[in-house]
Amino acid sequence: MIHHCVRFTIKPGTAPEQLEDALASLRHQGEAIPAVQSFLVGRDHGGAYEWGATFQIADLEGYWEYLIHPAHRRTDEIGLPLVDQFVSFDITDDPDPETGKRIAALHQRRFDTDPELTALVSNLSQYEGSAAPGPHAA
């Protein structure tokens, strides 16, 4: 099982309706992507981030389905321009020590095949996550 998690803050001056549209899109991707077994989108408490989401996915095949699904891409398109700081991470009970590298490879594959997405992520003030592109690369 993989729990894909994101935490983020919104740029100052973002209109409330823009934020609501982005949060609604996050919820929609949880409902629309068949590989997502459960999800939660809401306020992030206990840290430097304002909002968060987690998506439960069974395996790497489902994770790839999640990454490339049009509902996920739509969320990126409307949500990332509003984001100031963003972190993406995964928690898994898979005992294989290579799982993290395989997840990073899926993210890299997605960035390699979608230059517009890579530009959206590269333009964030702060991004931490698997296969971070552009100025955020480790």
Side-chain angles (χ1 to χ4, degrees):
M1 190 64 56
I2 302 167
H3 286 258
H4 175 64
C5 309
V6 297
R7 302 174 81 191
F8 54 95
T9 61
I10 299 298
K11 291 177 183 174
T14 297
E17 56 274 2
Q18 288 178 296
L19 174 58
E20 282 307 314
D21 286 348
L23 294 173
S25 188
L26 269 172
R27 291 180 188 101
H28 174 71
Q29 75 185 37
E31 296 164 351
I33 301 173
V36 173
Q37 296 181 348
S38 68
F39 70 96
L40 177 67
V41 175
R43 288 246 178 225
D44 187 321
H45 300 282
Y49 297 94
E50 301 167 314
W51 298 95
T54 183
F55 299 89
Q56 183 179 352
I57 303 165
D59 53 27
L60 291 170
E61 183 178 311
Y63 197 101
W64 179 245
E65 177 189 338
Y66 164 82
L67 285 176
I68 63 169
H69 194 280
H72 186 213
R73 185 61 178 84
R74 177 70 180 141
T75 300
D76 291 334
E77 194 174 292
I78 65 171
L80 287 174
L82 310 177
V83 169
D84 186 34
Q85 297 177 23
F86 186 90
V87 63
S88 165
F89 62 95
D90 300 284
I91 301 170
T92 181
D93 60 358
D94 188 330
D96 184 348
E98 298 297 309
T99 299
K101 290 180 184 175
R102 290 186 178 105
I103 289 170
L106 293 178
H107 282 277
Q108 186 64 58
R109 183 170 150 200
R110 183 173 182 234
F111 289 131
D112 288 346
T113 59
D114 190 340
E116 291 174 3
L117 171 66
T118 302
L120 285 170
V121 173
S122 295
N123 288 329
L124 296 174
S125 295
Q126 176 190 330
Y127 174 86
E128 292 180 50
S130 295
H136 308 295

